[in-house]
């Protein structure tokens, strides 16, 4: 690493300017310095463009008065801005979160879908599901023209409650869509596992702890029985299958065990997991919400533990939430999740379809009727995307949210989640629930980069098709 340190990776262009290159003036970029808690390095960020650099603390003064350093940034500033513009505003939907049923056999305390829907709702009939995918196929033929297959993720409530219809749809359209399924795992058997793995379907399972007592604390069926043992048995059946992940919802009940949960997941040879802070869209989630600063401390310990296990075994287990934050820094356009940016991906990169065919910006909004933008079976996809309900979500930008508009890391976070902000804080243009957790993840990510360890936290081959847009090797 040079005296100046490391800077953004991404696609670059050039836009030279004859103007001055001073900091924080009308003619120069606004730069903020961030203490990242590293003994040797401090971060320099230009929040508007998500540009960053890590500077040696003993070279800080020299860097801030070095015209060559700032000149390089000014030459690239327009391309950085263009890249962020494209990422935030110019993408089109290429994925659908599809609820093939309203019902669930579990009654998880923190679920964001109202209990009455999960208990008494409808299944989508097989012929309707086939028709729905036919409508989506026609739509995506006109909008996804780069040779990719659009994605359909069967989501919850619990899609395996409507297993026959879901499997029939997957078989019928296996050459058209990339399919995934998010399931609680309780209804999966050997035949179901075989069907999914033989077809390369992406599988997401849910497991909230390292012991049955912890994992089943908030995840029980309507009679009060948990299914963590069954989920672990499914994970063991998937030990040679790489296209699956495990989601752990983090609440007051399990946050203290996050390092132990990482241990447990790693021992099960899970390739990728998500440690999802509980969504606070409904009162059940808000009741289980951890204190932000407490969650951040345990979360970072879990990240430490994942690295320790990598050092010990040579085997990575990617924690996808953090990996996405890290990617938002080192390669913004390579990020895989679109929750941590504004506008978020809802209604912009993906949309959701309910079991009745209703269209929502995201699954998180199912159960909030005012955010229904139309109905799939009435041919209203385009109308939905431009409806007031969708526009309220796609128009939610961090620059209009206080205090987020003044935050240096606003484009590495995005102030998620709009549904959460709407229901928890009373308006969509308000912050979400876990500001400090995101801030501390960004600081941690910058420390990881300063120490040259980013590859150990990211998916293999994450940097394919990325280029370095600005590399500073000396002052």
């Amino acid at each position: 690493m040079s005296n100046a340190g490391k800077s953004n990776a991404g696609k670059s262009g050039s836009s030279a300017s004859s103007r001055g290159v001073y900091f924080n003036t009308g003619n120069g970029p606004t730069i903020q310095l961030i203490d990242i808690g590293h003994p040797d390095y401090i971060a320099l960020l230009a929040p508007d463009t998500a540009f960053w650099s890590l500077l040696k603390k003993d070279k800080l003064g020299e860097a801030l008065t070095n015209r060559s350093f700032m000149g390089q940034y000014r030459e690239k500033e327009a391309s950085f801005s263009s890249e962020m513009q494209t990422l935030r505003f110019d993408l089109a939907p290429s994925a659908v979160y599809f609820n093939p049923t309203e019902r669930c056999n579990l009654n998880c305390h923190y679920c964001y879908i109202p209990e009455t829907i999960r208990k008494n709702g409808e299944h989508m009939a097989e012929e309707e599901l086939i028709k729905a995918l036919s409508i989506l196929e026609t739509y995506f033929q006109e909008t996804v023209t780069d040779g990719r297959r659009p994605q359909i993720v069967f989501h919850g409530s619990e899609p395996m409650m409507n297993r026959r219809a879901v499997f029939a749809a997957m078989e019928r359209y296996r050459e058209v869509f990339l399919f995934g399924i998010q399931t609680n795992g309780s209804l999966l058997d050997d035949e179901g596992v075989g069907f999914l793995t033989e077809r390369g379907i992406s599988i997401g399972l849910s497991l909230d702890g390292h012991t049955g007592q912890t994992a089943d604390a908030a995840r029980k069926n309507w009679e009060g029985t948990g299914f963590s043992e069954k989920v672990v048995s499914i994970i063991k059946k998937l030990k040679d299958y790489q296209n699956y992940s495990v989601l752990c919802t983090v609440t007051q009940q399990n946050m203290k065990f996050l390092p132990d949960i990482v241990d447990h997941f790693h021992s099960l040879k899970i390739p990728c997991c998500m440690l999802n802070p509980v969504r606070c869209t409904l009162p059940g989630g808000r009741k289980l919400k951890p204190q932000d600063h407490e969650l951040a401390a345990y979360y970072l310990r879990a990240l430490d533990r994942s690295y320790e296990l990598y050092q010990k075994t040579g085997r990575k287990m990617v924690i996808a939430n953090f990996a996405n934050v890290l990617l938002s820094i080192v390669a913004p356009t390579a990020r895989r999740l679109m929750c941590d940016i504004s506008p978020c991906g809802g209604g912009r990169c993906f949309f959701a379809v309910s079991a009745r065919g209703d269209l929502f910006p995201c699954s998180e909004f199912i159960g909030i009727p005012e955010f229904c933008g139309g109905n799939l079976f009435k041919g209203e996809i385009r109308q939905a995307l431009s409806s007031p309900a969708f526009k309220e979500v796609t128009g939610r930008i961090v620059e209009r949210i206080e205090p987020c508009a003044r935050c240096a890391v606003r484009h590495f976070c995005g102030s998620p989640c709009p549904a959460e902000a709407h229901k928890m804080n009373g308006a969509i243009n308000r912050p979400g629930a876990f500001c400090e957790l995101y801030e501390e993840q960004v600081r941690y990510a910058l420390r990881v980069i300063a120490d040259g360890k980013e590859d150990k936290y990211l998916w293999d081959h994450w940097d394919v098709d990325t280029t370095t847009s600005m590399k500073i090797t000396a002052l």
Side-chain angles (χ1 to χ4, degrees):
M1 189 181 296
S2 69
N3 288 338
K6 298 184 177 181
S7 298
N8 289 49
K11 295 183 179 180
S12 64
S14 178
S15 178
S17 171
S18 61
R19 294 185 299 170
V21 291
Y22 299 105
F23 289 101
N24 300 330
T25 67
N27 288 327
T30 297
I31 297 293
Q32 297 189 35
L33 296 174
I34 306 297
D35 182 358
I36 62 172
H38 193 280
D40 300 317
Y41 287 91
I42 195 165
L44 177 150
L45 287 90
D48 289 340
T49 61
F51 168 81
W52 59 273
S53 185
L54 292 169
L55 307 173
K56 281 283 188 71
K57 289 181 177 179
D58 61 358
K59 297 290 184 178
L60 178 59
E62 191 175 351
L64 293 178
T65 57
N66 186 275
R67 285 194 160 216
S68 174
F69 171 65
M70 283 308 300
Q72 289 183 62
Y73 170 68
R74 284 301 298 272
E75 288 178 356
K76 306 293 185 182
E77 186 177 16
S79 66
F80 290 150
S81 294
S82 176
E83 183 180 75
M84 289 303 296
Q85 173 73 21
T86 298
L87 182 64
R88 298 179 66 198
F89 302 108
D90 297 340
L91 302 181
S94 60
V96 175
Y97 289 93
F98 201 119
N99 283 23
T101 178
E102 293 179 319
R103 296 185 194 174
C104 188
N105 61 322
L106 299 190
N107 185 28
C108 301
H109 298 169
Y110 50 67
C111 188
Y112 55 82
I113 296 178
E115 182 176 311
T116 53
I117 295 177
R118 290 182 283 113
K119 193 170 187 177
N120 305 310
E122 298 182 0
H123 294 324
M124 182 178 283
E126 181 178 327
E127 59 272 19
E128 284 189 313
L129 184 49
I130 296 295
K131 179 181 178 181
L133 293 192
S134 174
I135 294 169
L136 291 170
E137 178 186 19
T138 300
Y139 169 74
F140 284 125
Q141 283 174 345
E142 300 173 2
T143 60
V144 180
T145 58
D146 57 2
R148 294 177 298 150
R149 281 190 286 169
Q151 293 180 299
I152 303 289
V153 179
F154 288 113
H155 213 258
S157 297
E158 175 47 50
M160 290 296 291
M161 293 281 287
N162 199 10
R163 167 177 168 154
R164 180 176 175 176
V166 168
F167 281 11
M170 287 179 170
E171 185 65 20
R172 176 82 169 265
Y173 286 94
R174 62 189 297 186
E175 301 301 325
V176 177
F177 298 109
L178 291 175
F179 282 111
I181 186 167
Q182 180 66 42
T183 171
N184 61 43
S186 65
L187 300 176
L188 271 177
D189 54 20
D190 288 347
E191 182 183 0
V193 169
F195 178 92
L196 296 171
T197 56
E198 288 165 11
R199 290 158 179 78
I201 306 298
S202 175
I203 303 170
L205 297 166
S206 293
L207 184 64
D208 284 357
H210 61 305
T211 67
Q213 181 179 6
T214 301
D216 295 335
R219 297 186 61 79
K220 300 176 181 179
N221 67 10
W222 297 95
E223 290 75 41
T225 301
F227 285 87
S228 60
E229 288 187 13
K230 174 66 180 293
V231 176
V232 171
S233 74
I234 297 297
I235 291 171
K236 290 178 178 178
K237 294 178 190 296
L238 295 171
K239 64 182 177 66
D240 296 320
Y241 188 65
Q242 289 300 301
N243 196 18
Y244 85 100
S245 60
V246 175
L247 187 155
C248 171
T249 298
V250 185
T251 67
Q252 290 177 5
Q253 296 169 315
N254 64 358
M255 70 171 175
K256 293 181 180 179
F257 302 114
L258 282 177
D260 300 307
I261 291 170
V262 166
D263 266 331
H264 184 50
F265 285 5
H266 193 272
S267 72
L268 292 170
K269 298 186 177 179
I270 293 169
C272 178
C273 73
M274 296 186 73
L275 304 180
N276 272 5
V278 62
R279 281 291 180 224
C280 300
T281 309
L282 293 183
R286 295 196 285 276
K287 185 176 179 180
L288 292 173
K289 179 187 180 296
Q291 292 293 315
D292 203 352
H293 68 281
E294 292 181 353
L295 174 56
Y298 290 112
Y299 208 98
L300 299 193
R301 290 181 203 172
L303 296 176
D304 286 341
R305 185 58 182 153
S306 72
Y307 182 71
E308 291 167 2
L309 290 168
Y310 170 79
Q311 288 182 302
K312 182 178 180 180
T313 67
R315 177 166 47 85
K316 265 193 279 190
M317 182 183 71
V318 175
I319 299 175
N321 319 63
F322 173 70
N324 203 62
V325 171
L326 183 55
L327 273 180
S328 74
I329 300 171
V330 297
T333 58
R335 67 178 85 195
R336 299 191 179 190
L337 307 173
M338 296 302 288
C339 293
D340 308 337
I341 192 169
S342 78
C344 70
R348 192 173 65 86
C349 302
F350 53 80
F351 55 87
V353 179
S354 80
R356 300 170 188 260
D358 291 330
L359 299 164
F360 294 86
C362 171
S363 296
E364 197 77 23
F365 286 98
I366 292 178
I368 310 178
E370 59 265 37
F371 283 92
C372 176
N375 188 276
L376 183 71
F377 295 117
K378 296 178 182 178
E380 296 175 344
I381 297 178
R382 286 181 174 78
Q383 292 95 317
L385 294 175
S386 59
S387 68
F390 274 58
K391 288 294 186 183
E392 190 169 359
V393 177
T394 59
R396 181 185 185 266
I397 62 173
V398 73
E399 290 88 346
R400 297 174 185 163
I401 303 170
E402 286 293 338
C404 307
R406 294 174 278 112
C407 179
V409 302
R410 57 183 177 262
H411 290 322
F412 307 139
C413 163
S415 192
C417 150
E420 188 175 61
H422 173 73
K423 296 297 287 187
M424 178 183 178
N425 294 327
I428 202 167
N429 281 325
R430 290 180 182 169
F434 293 102
C435 177
E436 187 171 346
L437 174 63
Y438 277 96
E439 181 181 343
E440 291 306 321
Q441 283 188 86
V442 171
R443 293 180 194 275
Y444 189 100
L446 289 166
R447 293 197 293 272
V448 165
I449 298 166
D451 292 334
K453 299 188 300 188
E454 58 267 31
D455 285 347
K456 311 305 186 293
Y457 292 85
L458 294 172
W459 296 273
D460 291 337
H461 314 300
W462 67 269
D463 55 349
V464 173
D465 297 327
T466 65
T467 59
T468 300
S469 54
M470 181 173 171
K471 184 174 183 180
I472 304 167
T473 57
L475 290 175

